[in-house]
Amino acid sequence: MFKKITSFFMAFMLFSLSIAYADYGYTEVDREVKYEEKNDIITKFDDNEFNYPILLSDEYPMMSISNLANVIGGSVENNDTLVKDNIKITYAAGNRLAVYGEGHLMLERTPANYGGEIYVPVSSVVPTLCYHMEFFRFSNPPVIEITTGTNYPEIENVI
């Protein structure tokens, strides 16, 4: 008898949770992404400053693949592959998975064709190249800061 009550109670709880899950909008729904081109955002890479157009994809910064390669000192192959040192990331507009090494990299935002170029999430250089990125959206002017960790000051020995 106890097993039947427990089983019924568990089934009821799972059913209730599934209804709550659907009621609060947790289902996968396609929605339109809002893009906004910004020309007043400064991109800093260690000690260098750049002023390239940024495409905000629902407030997340994206940059054309050629401009991003220029910022980080890399290059572009076949108009869709970012190359820096021995690391290659191949992007496809409309695909949130980028080819990276023998596997894939899940991107923060889906790359987009805009103005004849592929715009890719600036944050995609973070896990692949071990860089650090911050987007200061509300500073004046807004700033995207990418750091490699190689330009920190020397350690001082004070005796």
Side-chain angles (χ1 to χ4, degrees):
M1 174 86 172
F2 182 72
K3 282 186 175 181
K4 283 185 179 182
I5 293 173
T6 304
S7 297
F8 174 77
F9 181 71
M10 290 300 290
F12 177 75
M13 291 300 294
L14 288 173
F15 177 74
S16 299
L17 286 173
S18 68
I19 290 173
Y21 186 77
D23 285 346
Y24 288 105
Y26 294 110
T27 57
E28 188 68 28
V29 177
D30 288 335
R31 63 177 184 78
E32 186 177 339
V33 177
K34 295 177 186 172
Y35 293 107
E36 179 183 5
E37 184 177 359
K38 300 293 274 181
N39 292 305
D40 64 339
I41 297 177
I42 295 172
T43 303
K44 292 183 179 181
F45 181 72
D46 285 342
D47 295 324
N48 301 315
E49 280 192 15
F50 303 87
N51 190 3
Y52 291 123
I54 299 295
L55 186 65
L56 294 179
S57 170
D58 286 338
E59 303 298 322
Y60 288 87
M62 295 177 36
M63 185 181 285
S64 78
I65 191 170
S66 58
N67 290 343
L68 184 57
N70 190 42
V71 166
I72 66 171
S75 62
V76 177
E77 291 179 356
N78 304 321
N79 296 323
D80 66 353
T81 303
L82 180 67
V83 180
K84 172 72 172 156
D85 301 327
N86 60 346
I87 294 176
K88 291 185 177 187
I89 310 168
T90 303
Y91 304 90
N95 189 349
R96 203 159 163 200
L97 288 177
V99 177
Y100 169 59
E102 298 293 319
H104 292 86
L105 174 67
M106 176 63 89
L107 302 171
E108 179 177 74
R109 290 288 181 251
T110 304
N113 275 325
Y114 188 81
E117 288 194 79
I118 295 178
Y119 275 70
V120 299
V122 176
S123 63
S124 63
V125 299
V126 172
T128 55
L129 295 166
C130 298
Y131 292 166
H132 177 76
M133 187 205 95
E134 288 189 61
F135 180 34
F136 300 98
R137 173 88 167 105
F138 299 107
S139 66
N140 191 10
V143 174
I144 297 171
E145 193 171 285
I146 304 169
T147 53
T148 61
T150 59
N151 65 338
Y152 295 131
E154 294 290 323
I155 297 174
E156 284 186 43
N157 290 327
V158 178
I159 299 177

